[in-house]
Amino acid sequence: MTSIYILKEYQGIGLGKELLKSMFFRFSSLGYQKIFVNVLEDNKARYFYEYYGAHLCKSVQIKIGGKVLNELIYEWDNIDGVLARLTKTN
């Protein structure tokens, strides 16, 4: 999988959290220790990842359609901690 996009009309209702939770349960069952995600600097989804504990590892420049963009690479290095936060009841 390389990308997940949630239509604007479905954002803010917990769908992203549920997707992330499902993925992290699967990652945990597979024994993964670290997970990373690439996101364009201008994409507000980066704040969602930060909220759930991802930390910025590095920034790289990529070219898409002749335009140079900054791509941020975030990493989670504690899957159990992310799952604890995702399954916490509010």
Side-chain angles (χ1 to χ4, degrees):
M1 179 183 335
T2 59
S3 302
I4 295 176
Y5 293 95
I6 298 175
L7 296 173
K8 189 151 185 90
E9 59 265 26
Y10 294 101
Q11 294 176 10
I13 61 171
L15 188 57
K17 178 181 176 181
E18 290 304 314
L19 284 168
L20 197 64
K21 187 185 336 179
S22 293
M23 288 188 300
F24 271 76
F25 273 121
R26 181 68 175 149
F27 297 150
S28 180
S29 75
L30 293 170
Y32 291 3
Q33 300 297 313
K34 293 184 179 187
I35 305 298
F36 72 92
V37 63
N38 297 10
V39 61
L40 294 177
E41 186 175 50
D42 292 339
N43 186 337
K44 292 180 185 177
R46 65 188 262 204
Y47 302 116
F48 172 81
Y49 301 134
E50 289 173 1
Y51 180 80
Y52 286 106
H55 60 273
L56 182 61
C57 292
K58 68 178 176 177
S59 176
V60 296
Q61 289 191 327
I62 60 172
K63 196 178 220 182
I64 298 177
K67 185 175 180 183
V68 176
L69 302 168
N70 290 323
E71 182 177 57
L72 306 177
I73 302 169
Y74 283 91
E75 181 179 87
W76 289 274
D77 56 10
N78 181 351
I79 290 177
D80 291 334
V82 177
L83 284 171
R85 184 167 189 139
L86 287 165
T87 58
K88 182 180 171 184
T89 55
N90 295 333

